[in-house]
Each structure stands twice: as structure tokens, then as C-alpha cells.
Amino acid sequence: MNVAYWIVAALLAAFYLYAGGIKILRTQEQLRPMMGWVDRIPMPVVRGIGTLEVLGAVGLVLPPLTGIAPGLAVAAATGLVLVQIGGIAVHLARGEARMIGLNIVLLAAAAAAVWLGTTWL
């Protein structure tokens, strides 16, 4: 279980560091080709989502790595589950049901991290 958690956590952390980082650093015009939904969401909210994603990525890795409050990894994974539920809701509200595939994969991976984290942390 330990190895499985680290594989899932590392993949999720890499993805969310990138995805969250670009939401924090790029302008609305730069994000629009990749994320059409940024037109409907105020940029402070987009930046907040990016910040939550980066914090979630750090929370998946840092607490178990340091041994300080490793239960926070489960909280971080749970937060990423909620981020993906919100992402699915936004896509469905925009009529983009065909675009939720990645959201579902990330949701399943974050849920797996929650489950793996509760079994060995």
C-alpha cells in the first residue's frame, strides 16, 4: 500500500503543481485556449482554484514525507476530490459532458489516494 500511495500521490502532485501553477501565473487570455471556462469564472476565483490545487499537491507529498501530521495527506486528497467534483459540475453546466473524462480520471486517482492514505498513514 505504501508504494501504491506514493505512485498515485506523485502523479497527482505533478499534475496539480502544473495545472495549479498555470492558473496562478497565466493571464485569462493565456488560459482561454486550454480552459474555455475561464471566461465565465472571475480570475480571482481561477487563481484561488490554482492555489488550492498547488496546496493539495504539496499536501499529498510533504506531510507523509516528513512524518509531520501525515493525516493531512488524506485531507489534501479529499480536497482534490472536491476540486474535481466542482470541475465536473462546471463542465456539465456548460454542456461539455464529453470533456469530463480527465476530471473523472483525476477524481478516481484522488479517491484512491484518500483510500490508500487511510489504510497506511
Side-chain angles (χ1 to χ4, degrees):
M1 292 290 195
N2 190 0
V3 173
Y5 173 80
W6 282 111
I7 291 169
V8 172
L11 291 172
L12 281 172
F15 178 84
Y16 281 112
L17 280 174
Y18 172 75
I22 65 171
K23 286 179 187 101
I24 293 169
L25 299 174
R26 293 190 180 172
T27 65
Q28 187 175 30
E29 292 75 29
Q30 292 170 320
L31 291 173
R32 191 175 298 120
M34 294 179 283
M35 304 170 203
W37 55 269
V38 298
D39 285 340
R40 286 191 156 177
I41 310 275
M43 277 311 287
V45 174
V46 174
R47 300 225 189 280
I49 293 167
T51 302
L52 290 173
E53 290 175 345
V54 169
L55 290 173
V58 171
L60 286 173
V61 176
L62 197 57
L65 190 63
T66 62
I68 300 171
L72 289 177
V74 174
T78 303
L80 294 174
V81 165
L82 296 174
V83 166
Q84 287 311 311
I85 290 171
I88 290 169
V90 167
H91 282 301
L92 292 176
R94 289 175 46 93
E96 301 170 340
R98 294 179 298 148
M99 298 186 71
I100 64 171
L102 178 60
N103 297 94
I104 291 171
V105 169
L106 292 169
L107 174 65
V114 170
W115 179 71
L116 291 167
T118 57
T119 58
W120 77 271
L121 292 178

